[in-house]
Amino acid sequence: HTEAKLGLGMVYEELGEFQDAVNTYEEVLKKSPQNIKAQLAIGRVLYMNSDLERGESSFKQALAIDNRNVDARIGFANCVSRKLPDQARTLLEEVLNEQPNNVEALVGLSITHYYRKQSELAKRYLMQALTINEEAFLPNMVLAQMWPASHGIPVLKAMLARSLTDHERSATLVMLIAKLTKEKQYEEALFFVEKAENSGPQGRRKKASNEKVELLKILQEKNPLTETN
């Protein structure tokens, strides 16, 4: 029953239904408070949704269950990398001493150095992660975020050609649309907004519909003959 619940939570995650995922993992914890898989999963979902305070708390609870758990150490470090960068760096470096090819730890270190405006170190760790797995979702997303649009946009487009979960595809589209819009590449942004409008979680589809309306307004102002259907 527990494993089935954990599996259901993962399905919700992949679909981008994050609150349902958290609720499912919490049901596991009610019956099995020491279930570290459920505790880690909650932390992961909260971190992915930028709920760093609650994510930190969840990873702390996972560390209380097993203070040597690698995923708990990485997750906690990621959540505190802005406010406690030295502690985050130490935790991540400890993980890498044990597992030199841990992609998530390398990405975490990259982000920690990026927040501290140490861009060269940030890039070095990120490229090391991509050397280990050039198609890994997380380092490619961080790379696209760090790089200027001229480099980041092609990275995101290449990612969309790969096999991604619904959540990964939705997150990639969100960043790509934002970068294209910022660069005033409105026609191309509209193309990807229409893709987002027809895929991913319901909340994301609704946001895409609103973005489509705004982009069509901009395009119509630029060219009154632009269709608005």
Side-chain angles (χ1 to χ4, degrees):
H1 180 71
T2 296
E3 290 302 318
K5 280 284 185 183
L6 290 170
L8 178 60
M10 283 295 297
V11 170
Y12 281 132
E13 279 191 62
E14 291 175 1
L15 292 172
E17 304 294 344
F18 297 117
Q19 190 55 56
D20 287 334
V22 169
N23 292 343
T24 303
Y25 295 134
E26 285 178 342
E27 287 177 20
V28 173
L29 288 175
K30 284 177 184 176
K31 294 187 176 182
S32 179
Q34 296 296 301
N35 190 302
I36 196 168
K37 289 182 180 178
Q39 197 68 68
L40 288 168
I42 291 172
R44 178 177 64 243
V45 173
L46 294 171
Y47 173 69
M48 284 193 304
N49 285 276
S50 301
D51 191 342
L52 301 184
E53 187 173 334
R54 290 174 63 209
E56 175 188 344
S57 176
S58 190
F59 285 121
K60 268 187 182 178
Q61 292 177 65
L63 287 168
I65 298 169
D66 178 4
N67 66 3
R68 299 305 299 165
N69 183 278
V70 169
D71 291 333
R73 284 187 282 164
I74 293 173
F76 178 79
N78 286 339
C79 286
V80 302
S81 59
R82 275 186 184 271
K83 68 177 184 178
L84 299 171
D86 291 334
Q87 185 178 351
R89 190 184 72 247
T90 299
L91 278 171
L92 294 166
E93 287 175 348
E94 285 176 0
V95 170
L96 286 172
N97 284 336
E98 300 163 15
Q99 301 180 4
N101 290 334
N102 190 303
V103 169
E104 289 189 9
L106 287 165
V107 173
L109 264 179
S110 174
I111 293 170
T112 299
H113 287 296
Y114 181 72
Y115 286 152
R116 301 182 76 179
K117 303 190 185 301
Q118 297 171 332
S119 57
E120 289 307 311
L121 273 174
K123 288 178 184 177
R124 190 182 83 188
Y125 283 113
L126 200 56
M127 297 313 294
Q128 189 176 338
L130 287 167
T131 299
I132 295 166
N133 184 354
E134 65 178 11
E135 293 195 359
F137 175 74
L138 185 58
N140 274 287
M141 281 292 281
V142 175
L143 183 67
Q145 181 67 39
M146 287 184 182
W147 273 0
S150 58
H151 290 85
I153 288 172
V155 168
L156 294 165
K157 287 180 180 177
M159 289 173 67
L160 288 174
R162 299 171 189 159
S163 178
L164 301 173
T165 67
D166 285 351
H167 163 63
E168 289 171 345
R169 184 167 300 280
S170 179
T172 305
L173 283 167
V174 167
M175 188 182 294
L176 178 56
I177 291 163
K179 283 187 174 289
L180 288 168
T181 303
K182 187 176 180 180
E183 293 299 303
K184 299 183 179 181
Q185 298 178 30
Y186 301 122
E187 291 88 349
E188 197 164 10
L190 180 61
F191 172 79
F192 287 106
V193 162
E194 288 174 343
K195 283 184 174 292
E197 194 179 24
N198 296 309
S199 64
Q202 191 60 39
R204 176 57 203 149
R205 293 185 189 195
K206 184 175 181 181
K207 184 178 179 183
S209 295
N210 293 335
E211 289 172 334
K212 181 178 179 180
V213 170
E214 293 304 313
L215 284 168
L216 286 170
K217 283 181 182 177
I218 293 170
L219 287 169
Q220 195 165 33
E221 287 172 4
K222 289 178 63 181
N223 179 7
L225 297 179
T226 300
E227 292 184 9
T228 57
N229 295 339

